[in-house]
Amino acid sequence: MGFLSILSFAHKCIEERLKPGDAAIDATAGNGNDTVFMARLLTGGGHLYSMDIQQAALDHTRRKLEAEPAESRERVSLHLGSHAYMASIVPPEHHGKVGAVMFNLGYLPGQDHAVITTAESTLPALEAAFELLRPGGIITVVVYPGHPGGEREAAAVTEWFESRPQSMAQSFCYRFMNQRNSPPFLLAVEKRHS
Ligand SMILES: C[S@@+](CC[C@H](N)C(=O)[O-])C[C@H]1O[C@@H](n2cnc3c(N)ncnc32)[C@H](O)[C@@H]1O
């Protein structure tokens, strides 16, 4: 058996940590795959906030959700806007109660590849996400350094994970070492129990 793919490992980390009643955030809705994945995991009154700056992404995500059972669909709200403003998208009652935040960086496949995530909004979004997490909650980021602009964002995001104080967080990188052409990699951070 080979190693888990980058995305499968992100999903496994999320799956192991989301608890009944947790809120969750998909910071880059895109085609809706991660939104559907997290919506299926939420139980016990949890809610998923899924956001994107492109209406096309939210339309794809809504269509994917339509194939899901009503109880899973009803737990999701879709938001057109930048993840940099997630603290104002997530209502105060869920601040500090978020069990997982997923970022899947880069561009929306099948749409304009010039619309990409950038460090200018990704870094404030990571700060906001960390504030919103409950102790033991996790942020996962699938990073794509291979497209124009991707390498710069990857460096900034990696630096953000490396600089989390150990007293507050534990972070790791999951990366295949012998793949060529700037393959994607996973960064994750877990908020420590104080
Ligand atoms: C690789 S796709 C996400 C894939 C998605 N998670 C899925 O499961 O299909 C990256 C998405 O990030 C979105 N994006 C770019 N900048 C953003 C921002 N500032 N806030 C939220 N989404 C953003 C893009 O529009 C694109 O849809």
Side-chain angles (χ1 to χ4, degrees):
M1 193 185 84
F3 296 116
L4 284 179
S5 73
I6 298 299
L7 188 58
S8 299
F9 194 48
H11 284 182
K12 185 173 164 56
C13 294
I14 301 269
E15 197 168 10
E16 284 173 355
R17 278 163 189 82
L18 268 183
K19 296 204 288 214
D22 271 349
I25 300 172
D26 185 351
T28 51
N31 281 321
N33 300 304
D34 297 325
T35 291
V36 167
F37 169 76
M38 285 199 281
R40 288 178 182 165
L41 294 177
L42 288 179
T43 53
H47 192 85
L48 173 64
Y49 303 91
S50 179
M51 54 201 74
D52 205 290
I53 51 168
Q54 298 192 73
Q55 185 59 48
L58 298 186
D59 293 344
H60 287 148
T61 301
R62 184 172 291 109
R63 275 199 292 278
K64 267 209 181 118
L65 282 169
E66 277 163 10
E68 293 297 300
E71 74 263 23
S72 158
R73 246 181 302 144
E74 283 157 9
R75 289 194 283 264
V76 184
S77 50
L78 302 180
H79 304 270
L80 182 64
S82 173
H83 44 218
Y85 305 109
M86 67 170 75
S88 54
I89 292 172
V90 176
E93 69 260 28
H94 278 147
H95 289 203
K97 302 216 169 67
V98 174
V101 186
M102 279 197 85
F103 290 77
N104 199 328
L105 301 178
Y107 54 81
L108 180 60
Q111 299 288 322
D112 183 355
H113 289 193
V115 181
I116 55 171
T117 54
T118 64
E120 283 67 30
S121 52
T122 306
L123 295 183
L126 285 168
E127 291 290 343
F130 195 75
E131 283 299 308
L132 292 168
L133 282 186
R134 62 161 169 75
I138 190 170
I139 303 172
T140 63
V141 185
V142 177
V143 185
Y144 298 85
H147 61 272
E151 196 176 347
R152 183 177 158 268
E153 183 185 35
V157 171
T158 300
E159 206 274 329
W160 187 87
F161 277 80
E162 286 170 347
S163 62
R164 288 315 84 204
Q166 260 188 317
S167 57
M168 295 166 62
Q170 217 181 12
S171 65
F172 73 80
C173 175
Y174 180 66
R175 179 178 215 152
F176 292 99
M177 304 301 287
N178 60 342
Q179 289 180 356
R180 300 288 167 254
N181 302 323
S182 307
F185 58 94
L186 171 67
L187 296 167
V189 63
E190 186 182 71
K191 192 174 193 168
R192 277 192 194 280
H193 295 265
S194 44

